[in-house]
Amino acid sequence: MTEPVVRIPGAKVALSTASVYPESTATAFEIAARLGYDGVEVMVWTDPVSQDIEALRRLSDYHGVPVLAVHAPCLLITQRVWSTDPWVKLQRARTAAEKLGASTVVVHPPFRWQRSYAREFVRGIWRMEGETDVRFAVENMYPWRYRDREMLAYAPDWDPTNDDYRHFTVDLSHTATARHDALAMVGRMGDRLAHVHLADGNGSAKDEHLVPGRGSQPCAELLEGLAGSGFDGHVVVEVNTRRAMSAAEREADLAEALAFTRLHLGSPTGVPGK
């Protein structure tokens, strides 16, 4: 007989809707409900349902799966989603989070060519946090690499710990791509770490988002550290299942990721990054 998994009060495990791509946002809710995730993080992108608050509310109610976080449309392919003005995008993400009962908006640092937005980004994020109870958790990114060349694509910095934010998101696929020490970054984030994107990677120039445990990142150590620290944010499984040969294979990967997360969140070892 297996021992029951101990869950940390306040810490919930969510499925990013990006984890089912190229399947739809609606499919993510269905899979999250079937596998027993605590909720979803909605990646706002070109899928019209991801942009529609009422449609998301209906999916949440129908499947009994809450929306725990909203990922603002910060990708190259979402340049025109919810306006071309990046501040309008964040305002709409905040409104979506408030109406759906989500606690967190995940946001990437600006692209370097978004010069005006980048100049005001740190001050603007602080201002927006002061206008709502929703947390704006700025996510670590990575340098872009091609062969032996490296381009710094984000400003003020791909590493948000080099600037002053109230809340952070750590993404372990991004630390792998940056070839950066994930636990050291988490240590710098300290009690401002509000949100985790759990995925793995092997240090490829490509952002891999492997199922946790299949790469070189300290996924287990991070989760166990969170368990010992009283972390009350959300852990979001954000993995790439595009190569799955079938719906059953995709679902098996997402079930494996959930089991890994539950296992190590139930095994506290101390403060992460220390």
Side-chain angles (χ1 to χ4, degrees), residues 24-270:
S24 67
T25 301
T27 299
F29 277 86
E30 179 185 344
I31 291 174
R34 187 158 56 244
L35 294 181
Y37 279 84
D38 296 320
V40 300
E41 175 180 296
V42 174
M43 171 68 80
V44 180
W45 69 298
T46 56
D47 180 352
V49 171
S50 74
Q51 305 170 31
D52 186 328
I53 294 172
E54 289 310 312
L56 293 169
R57 193 197 310 278
R58 288 194 295 270
L59 283 169
S60 178
D61 290 345
Y62 179 78
H63 292 288
V65 175
V67 176
L68 300 179
V70 174
H71 195 309
C74 303
L75 305 175
L76 286 172
I77 63 169
T78 59
Q79 292 284 295
R80 296 186 177 278
V81 171
W82 277 357
S83 167
T84 56
D85 183 332
W87 292 114
V88 172
K89 292 175 186 283
L90 296 191
Q91 290 163 0
R92 292 190 65 173
R94 179 188 67 194
T95 297
E98 289 171 342
K99 290 186 175 180
L100 293 166
S103 65
T104 304
V105 167
V106 178
V107 57
H108 293 178
F111 292 112
R112 190 166 289 274
W113 54 84
Q114 295 174 300
R115 293 180 181 177
S116 175
Y117 178 46
R119 279 195 303 270
E120 296 298 319
F121 185 69
V122 178
R123 286 189 294 271
I125 291 295
W126 273 97
R127 183 183 66 251
M128 293 188 75
E129 287 230 52
E131 298 169 349
T132 180
D133 291 331
V134 173
R135 297 177 294 190
F136 282 80
V138 182
E139 183 174 358
N140 61 299
M141 298 305 291
Y142 46 83
W144 290 4
R145 293 189 180 91
Y146 179 70
R147 295 181 179 174
D148 295 329
R149 295 186 177 184
E150 183 174 289
M151 182 176 82
L152 300 178
Y154 300 95
D157 204 301
W158 64 263
D159 180 352
T161 66
N162 289 328
D163 292 286
D164 182 27
Y165 301 106
R166 186 179 295 177
H167 296 110
F168 294 109
T169 296
V170 67
D171 184 306
L172 272 71
S173 178
H174 295 175
T175 57
T177 303
R179 299 167 190 166
H180 197 78
D181 185 328
L183 295 182
M185 177 176 282
V186 167
R188 292 195 301 276
M189 291 177 174
D191 61 8
R192 291 183 291 170
L193 175 63
H195 204 69
V196 176
H197 280 170
L198 190 67
D200 218 328
N202 287 308
S204 167
K206 295 181 179 179
D207 187 16
E208 297 172 285
H209 284 275
L210 304 177
V211 171
R214 297 185 185 178
S216 62
Q217 292 302 285
C219 297
E221 294 91 333
L222 172 65
L223 294 171
E224 290 163 10
L226 293 176
S229 71
F231 177 74
D232 64 353
H234 303 318
V235 177
V236 178
V237 170
E238 189 184 72
V239 297
N240 184 345
T241 63
R242 277 174 281 185
R243 293 187 178 181
M245 300 301 292
S246 65
E249 184 178 335
R250 173 175 291 107
E251 194 161 321
D253 283 347
L254 298 177
E256 179 183 330
L258 177 60
F260 181 100
T261 307
R262 294 268 195 238
L263 172 65
H264 293 288
L265 276 178
S267 305
T269 60

